[in-house]
Amino acid sequence: GLVSIATRPVSIAGATADIDTEVGLALPVGVAALGVEQVRVTRVIRPRAGTRTFEAGIEIVNGSPALAYQPAVDRVLVTVGGTLDALDALDPTRITARLDVAGLGAGTAAVPVVVQLPDGVSLVAASPGTVSVTATAVAAPTSSPAPTPAFEATPAPSGAP
């Protein structure tokens, strides 16, 4: 038996929004439709999407002033996804990769990369996803006695002749 019937072609050329239209049936030879000549067809139009990969510098955030932080790498690869229009409009300087070192004590720890992206695009991947960060204590400034100003005695002028 007959399981499905195709429709006549529906053109989506130049479409920027969904298409909702009546279209005729493409009946096989020898098949007749009883009381139905057209059906409603809805084509959902989605913008073309893609991904792009950018290199982003690393920013250390929420660090302690008593510690110096050294990440194992200074850049990460960030792959973002979105519509082709959004990707074309993306300013790579607006992509930031942050390492949140809040609560990290002296030593080495793996810190997850947190990527900040502008609206319209989403994070697909960051490589590496975590970065090894070494925190070392900052040497406290040593206080040394302030130098004593040197004064040289100047002889007073001698009296009048």
Side-chain angles (χ1 to χ4, degrees):
L2 187 61
V3 177
S4 66
I5 297 176
T7 65
R8 301 264 180 227
V10 176
S11 175
I12 60 170
T16 58
D18 294 352
I19 297 173
D20 188 29
T21 188
E22 295 278 329
V23 64
L25 299 174
L27 297 171
V29 174
V31 175
L34 298 175
V36 177
E37 294 179 20
Q38 292 191 329
V39 292
R40 177 162 298 283
V41 173
T42 301
R43 297 291 302 191
V44 177
I45 306 298
R46 291 197 174 92
R48 291 181 34 207
T51 61
R52 301 240 171 97
T53 301
F54 301 93
E55 190 174 72
I58 290 179
E59 178 184 3
I60 302 284
V61 295
N62 297 322
S64 165
L67 295 171
Y69 301 92
Q70 182 61 49
V73 297
D74 64 349
R75 300 194 173 289
V76 295
L77 291 178
V78 176
T79 302
V80 298
T83 66
L84 294 183
D85 288 342
L87 292 171
D88 288 342
L90 180 61
D91 177 1
T93 63
R94 294 190 55 211
I95 299 173
T96 58
R98 295 185 174 140
L99 301 177
D100 187 345
V101 295
L104 185 65
T108 301
V111 178
V113 175
V114 177
V115 179
Q116 300 293 322
L117 296 169
D119 291 339
V121 294
S122 60
L123 180 65
V124 174
S127 180
T130 60
V131 173
S132 179
V133 176
T134 301
T136 54
V138 174
T142 57
S143 60
S144 56
T148 307
F151 293 102
E152 190 174 300
T154 312
S158 54

